[in-house]
Amino acid sequence: MIIPVEWTDEGVRMLDQRLLPNEETWLMLKTYNDVADGIRDMVIRGAPAIGVSCAYGIALGLKNFVGTNVDDLEEELDYVCEVLSKTRPTAINLFWAIDRMKRKFAELKDAGTSVTDIKAAMIDESKAIHEEDIESQRLIAQFGGELLEDGASVLTHCNAGALATGGVWGTALGVIRGAKDQGKKVSVIADETRPYLQGARLTAWELLKDDIPVTLITDNQSGHVMKKGRVNAVVVGSDRIAANGDVANKIGTYMVAVLAKQHGIPFYVAAPLSTVDMNCPTGDDIPIEERDIREVTHIMDIQLAPEGISVGNYAFDVTPNELVDAIITEKGVARKPYTESLRKMFEE
Ligand code: MRU
């Protein structure tokens, strides 16, 4: 069972995903700045995992605050949240966790809670966010598993597994684990996911650990395997879903969705409601992270492209809602039109 981040009395413990699959190294992060660096530098990645880590970072920042005045603690909270909010722009779970932690703080302050008790309650809130995230993935696994046929071969892109969430299930890989728990035989085709290779390094590692049959392919093989009839469904995660059902996910997801449409293969997105941004009307409003060009010009430390070449490195793309056959959440399966089906899920 993989749980990539956890709260301990010493600090926040994180599995260093930059080193997988070759090394399983755990880091102990003792300050909120360490957690912010961990998110920025990809020690932890994946939208729900970023949200959980951000909540722990806030709790850690408050725990380390020296002082007895609640207003000063609130100033510190604002500062810590500001630092964490600058780490990665696309995954809404980061901002969702900040809002939730700030709301909890306001509630505690209004109730006249002491600094010591606020610190303890904020740690509890961050742990609750983590537990709820795991429970959401469990439900996503159950609902999503029902969509897969026995014997299905599922193509996935990037890593939307336990590593990318609070742990245990994952979103897209949760659906596969859910189907397996329902007694179905399922296998996975994992895109390697250039340039950061989350598929080759992380999805392959996770599935092998769980004994789920997986075949790794380069990203440019996906059209070919679909045409050959080797893919029965595509399941991916998401970093942010707009209110109209447009889906931001790892760069290359849009290409896979277009190919799935061309070949009549269902394209499913699995994500908790903490990934749905009802304040974002369409995918055009989702900020897309651009990362260091070295990720494209180099693999590890080996330079592949000539010095001085102009390079693009968008980390995410947006798949338009018309290409998405279903969005699997902890509240059930949303179908088109998403503007209505997603809104209903928040009202339940
Ligand atoms: O850049 P990353 O590795 O943080 O990107 C992760 C993804 O795009 C995942 O597919 C997404 O966050 C869903 S994770 C359950």
Side-chain angles (χ1 to χ4, degrees):
M1 190 162 79
I2 301 160
I3 299 189
V5 56
E6 61 185 8
W7 178 269
T8 75
D9 289 342
E10 266 182 85
V12 178
R13 203 168 162 260
M14 265 182 204
L15 177 59
D16 191 344
Q17 299 191 24
R18 298 168 303 182
L19 305 178
L20 290 173
N22 300 327
E23 260 180 59
E24 284 179 43
T25 301
W26 288 84
L27 304 180
M28 184 61 79
L29 310 180
K30 300 207 168 180
T31 69
Y32 72 86
N33 271 316
D34 291 345
V35 175
D37 289 345
I39 296 172
R40 191 182 300 105
D41 298 344
M42 310 281 276
V43 170
I44 194 131
R45 29 64 51 202
I50 290 172
V52 170
S53 304
C54 175
Y56 279 151
I58 295 169
L60 193 56
L62 298 187
K63 185 187 169 207
N64 290 344
F65 172 78
V66 184
T68 50
N69 184 299
V70 174
D71 290 330
D72 293 345
L73 186 66
E74 189 170 28
E75 229 174 79
E76 182 71 356
L77 170 76
D78 288 342
Y79 187 70
V80 168
C81 291
E82 177 70 13
V83 170
L84 284 159
S85 73
K86 300 263 164 59
T87 52
R88 295 195 70 192
T90 304
I92 187 65
N93 303 61
L94 179 91
F95 305 96
W96 173 90
I98 289 174
D99 282 354
R100 174 146 161 194
M101 292 295 277
K102 279 194 167 177
R103 269 201 314 276
K104 184 70 191 176
F105 187 98
E107 216 177 84
L108 293 160
K109 185 183 174 194
D110 286 352
T113 316
S114 69
V115 164
T116 313
D117 290 348
I118 290 180
K119 287 180 176 185
M122 294 294 278
I123 293 171
D124 288 347
E125 186 71 357
S126 62
K127 287 182 183 168
I129 286 175
H130 193 177
E131 279 159 25
E132 287 166 29
D133 184 70
I134 295 175
E135 176 59 9
S136 295
Q137 318 303 333
R138 188 184 69 78
L139 293 165
I140 287 170
Q142 196 179 306
F143 292 127
E146 283 161 15
L147 298 179
L148 300 182
E149 308 264 312
D150 189 19
S153 163
V154 179
L155 186 137
T156 191
H157 190 76
C158 193
N159 171 264
L163 287 168
T165 63
V168 186
W169 299 92
T171 54
L173 299 192
V175 169
I176 285 144
R177 291 186 169 107
K180 192 183 165 203
D181 277 7
Q182 290 160 13
K184 296 170 190 166
K185 275 207 170 74
V186 274
S187 58
V188 177
I189 296 177
D191 283 351
E192 65 170 350
T193 320
R194 274 275 290 155
Y196 207 76
L197 303 177
Q198 287 94 332
R201 297 190 304 106
L202 309 176
T203 297
W205 179 80
E206 255 198 71
L207 294 176
L208 280 180
K209 238 180 162 33
D210 263 13
D211 263 340
I212 295 175
V214 52
T215 302
L216 177 66
I217 60 168
T218 52
D219 299 323
N220 47 11
Q221 291 181 60
S222 47
H224 179 73
V225 292
M226 287 188 197
K227 193 153 175 258
K228 288 275 175 198
R230 304 225 174 101
V231 180
N232 304 110
V234 175
V235 187
V236 296
S238 173
D239 293 84
R240 192 185 299 219
I241 298 173
N244 70 346
D246 289 348
V247 171
N249 192 47
K250 181 53 55 193
I251 193 75
T253 303
Y254 175 39
M255 259 169 22
V256 173
V258 171
L259 283 166
K261 182 75 165 183
Q262 166 73 12
H263 294 94
I265 297 166
F267 180 89
Y268 301 131
V269 175
L273 289 179
S274 54
T275 300
V276 179
D277 185 357
M278 294 304 276
N279 295 319
C280 218
T282 75
D284 291 341
D285 308 297
I286 299 176
I288 299 295
E289 180 180 8
E290 286 181 63
R291 295 184 56 83
D292 191 342
I293 61 164
R294 203 182 151 87
E295 289 178 356
V296 177
T297 56
H298 290 63
I299 288 193
M300 301 303 165
D301 277 333
I302 301 166
Q303 185 166 344
L304 305 171
E307 200 69 48
I309 183 73
S310 163
V311 175
N313 190 16
Y314 291 104
F316 301 96
D317 59 27
V318 174
T319 298
N321 57 28
E322 64 263 25
L323 298 179
V324 178
D325 290 293
I327 299 176
I328 307 155
T329 78
E330 68 273 34
K331 292 264 181 85
V333 177
R335 302 269 184 185
K336 290 171 203 156
Y338 293 110
T339 312
E340 278 167 42
S341 56
L342 290 174
R343 186 175 35 78
K344 274 198 193 129
M345 287 195 168
F346 281 95
E347 286 166 2
E348 272 170 24

